[in-house]
Amino acid sequence: MHIDPSACCCRSWDLHPNLLKVIAIDEQLRVIYEDNVHFDKDLPEFKTQGGVYIHSDRLTVTSPVLMWVKGCFSVSDSPIWMDSSTASQCRALEKALGGAQHLANVTGSRAYERFTGNQIAKIYSQNPEVYKQTERISLVSSFAASLFLGAYAPIDYSDGSGMNLLQIWEKAWSKPCLDACAPGLEERLGCPVPSHSVLGPISPYYSQRYGFSPDCKIVAFTGDNPASLAGMRLQEGDIAISLGTSDTLFLWIQEPTPALEGHILCNPVDSQTYMALLCFKNGSLMRERIRDECASGSWDEFSKALSSTVAGNSGNLGFYFDVMEITPEAVGIHRFNRDNQKVPRFPKEVEIRALIEGQFMAKRIHAEKLGYKVLPRTRILATGGASHNKKILQVLSDVFNAPVFTIDTANSACLGSAYRAIHGLVAERNVSLADVVKLAPEPRLAVTPTPGAEEVSNWGVLRDLLLTPWCCFS
Ligand code: ADP
């Protein structure tokens, strides 16, 4: 329903059992708009008869309450991060911005199918009427904040930088990106705000119904990855590596250089800096495969193989991608001996070290491509299943030439949001998140680099090979 708000003086809603009527009148009491929703016909998914359910006792008659608010959403099914149906919109956005790298330079990422701008473009192109009727577009995070605020909540910089729409440097919507996705998008998105912003007091509904203090403040909501960065208490220069089913890197970066791989997002706990995210699909599943083939399925034996070989693997190196990798886009297993010749196989313990060194060097190279610099103060915070394996962490420490700490990250996104809430209340006074979370348990030091590991000449060869276009290896 669209009513011109400037012409409208008053609207009334008349809720009948079988329909909802709306009438708007202007200052001269003229009816300027009239419409209605017939529940049975317009919202058949509720399966009402005459807008109601008559129960089997024939005495009880009810209406589904969610039906009464269903008109609230112009689109009843929200696309989520797993959606990959917007390839053509991604291509169009990259073209409009002068190429994938240029789009990444503006928004921090090349076009991704799940990103909101491309999802909006798809809805606009397939159903322009629905788009026209939409007053406001929220991310799930800002929508959830809206419920507590009792008003539209703005999108925060961090989650907003995962939309292919925000200029991450100026922290304002990019006009060329908005225009490439749909018309009139800026007013539908509202103004983005720093992630630590206090949006306002909680809606009176929550105080009255659930006893929240009326002084309770709502701090901007954000996405799970930025919230995890806060939960892991990353500090300037830190790098967090989650070694789970897939491997993920979170980086705190001062001066990012957006690339075609990975994402640069505004930092949720420090508006002056950035965070980067890199995801590698061939994580633990690849390690498990090599463990099964070369270590009789035992992590202990796998660890012994790492102990019995040396950093740099005596010149042998390899890349192991069971499934098409995201960073770099490559597939297959590629092994090179000390003479830089491609070989079909390695002895078992050499294979195991080649896998782990290759995996970690790929992470270092791609982190550096995004502007990350390993500095003397660099801390690596390791989490996930494989972070329980000290021998694997030793290789990580040697490849990055930095100490590795382990952290407990159970509930890191949720806990991070609680930290952010406290931070939001004091951020105006220039208090950092690090000050706020001083009392939280410190990361535990697991390993430090093996003396001399940074001198290993094989790292240079590994780097060069990883930076070689992957078509050369197939
Ligand atoms: P998810 O990403 O599903 O949350 P986890 O972080 O729990 O996964 O990690 C699970 C993975 O950890 C398993 O796939 C397993 O391969 C790996 N893992 C568990 N123990 C070890 C170990 N001692 N050494 C190496 N990898 C391990």
Side-chain angles (χ1 to χ4, degrees), residues 12 33 37 81 86 131 149 226 266 278 304 313 340 362 383 417 443:
S12 88
Y33 187 83
V37 177
W81 70 273
T86 64
Y131 178 80
L149 200 61
C266 297
L278 274 166
K304 278 186 197 136
N313 212 9
N340 222 353
T383 72
S417 292

Side-chain angles (χ1 to χ4, degrees), residues 242-246 284-285 287-288 291 299 384-386 388-389 392:
S242 165
L243 300 168
T245 306
S246 54
S284 275
L285 297 184
R287 291 188 285 272
E288 278 177 20
R291 176 201 64 185
W299 287 123
H388 298 295
N389 190 318
I392 291 181

Side-chain angles (χ1 to χ4, degrees), residues 132-403:
K132 223 173 108 196
Q133 287 169 7
T134 302
E135 181 180 64
R136 182 74 170 221
I137 299 171
S138 298
L139 300 183
V140 176
S141 55
S142 62
F143 168 69
S146 304
L147 295 178
F148 286 96
L149 200 61
Y152 287 136
I155 291 171
D156 80 295
Y157 291 161
S158 285
D159 217 12
S161 29
M163 298 170 74
N164 276 148
L165 293 177
L166 190 79
Q167 303 179 34
I168 55 165
W169 316 104
E170 295 83 357
K171 297 173 175 66
W173 301 121
S174 150
K175 193 148 176 12
C177 293
L178 297 178
D179 291 347
C181 290
L185 192 44
E186 188 161 8
E187 57 265 27
R188 286 171 171 81
L189 293 174
C191 269
V193 294
S195 306
H196 61 252
S197 304
V198 174
L199 305 181
I202 196 162
S203 145
Y205 169 83
Y206 284 91
S207 322
Q208 284 154 20
R209 175 149 187 186
Y210 296 109
F212 278 82
S213 159
D215 298 331
C216 174
K217 304 274 191 298
I218 305 300
V219 174
F221 283 29
T222 194
D224 60 341
N225 286 316
S228 288
L229 177 127
M232 291 188 282
R233 304 186 305 282
L234 238 65
Q235 294 173 17
E236 191 182 326
D238 283 351
I239 176 167
I241 301 192
S242 165
L243 300 168
T245 306
S246 54
D247 292 347
T248 309
L249 259 67
F250 293 76
L251 310 157
W252 178 300
I253 301 194
Q254 308 281 347
E255 291 168 20
T257 49
L260 294 181
E261 286 127 4
H263 309 289
I264 304 289
L265 310 175
C266 297
N267 189 319
V269 304
D270 177 355
S271 303
Q272 307 304 315
T273 65
Y274 295 85
M275 66 177 280
L277 261 186
L278 274 166
C279 198
F280 300 82
K281 277 195 213 162
N282 291 275
S284 275
L285 297 184
M286 189 68 239
R287 291 188 285 272
E288 278 177 20
R289 185 185 138 190
I290 298 297
R291 176 201 64 185
D292 294 345
E293 283 172 15
C294 301
S296 323
S298 148
W299 287 123
D300 273 352
E301 235 179 84
F302 191 94
S303 301
K304 278 186 197 136
L306 290 175
S307 302
S308 70
T309 45
V310 292
N313 212 9
S314 310
N316 300 296
L317 44 93
F319 311 106
Y320 298 75
F321 308 116
D322 245 355
V323 291
M324 177 58 90
E325 189 47 272
I326 309 173
T327 25
E329 249 181 56
V331 75
I333 295 185
H334 312 273
R335 302 175 184 86
F336 300 86
N337 65 14
R338 67 178 64 198
D339 302 318
N340 222 353
Q341 287 162 334
K342 211 166 175 204
V343 290
R345 64 190 67 81
F346 280 147
K348 288 180 177 177
E349 64 283 1
V350 174
E351 178 94 322
I352 289 172
R353 179 168 280 279
L355 162 73
I356 302 297
E357 289 188 349
Q359 283 193 331
F360 290 148
M361 185 52 86
K363 290 175 178 54
R364 179 165 178 174
I365 286 175
H366 288 287
E368 287 174 351
K369 268 182 145 181
L370 289 174
Y372 184 78
K373 290 185 189 69
V374 178
L375 298 171
R377 65 162 183 274
T378 293
R379 297 187 309 170
I380 300 176
L381 310 178
T383 72
S387 70
H388 298 295
N389 190 318
K390 262 206 164 163
K391 298 296 171 196
I392 291 181
L393 297 188
Q394 185 63 59
V395 180
L396 176 61
S397 178
D398 291 346
V399 169
F400 277 78
N401 193 30

Side-chain angles (χ1 to χ4, degrees), residues 2-23:
H2 187 75
I3 307 168
D4 176 4
S6 58
C8 178
C9 169
C10 217
R11 277 174 240 191
S12 88
W13 305 86
D14 183 3
L15 191 55
H16 287 257
N18 62 333
L19 88 163
L20 169 70
K21 279 188 190 171
V22 60
I23 281 182

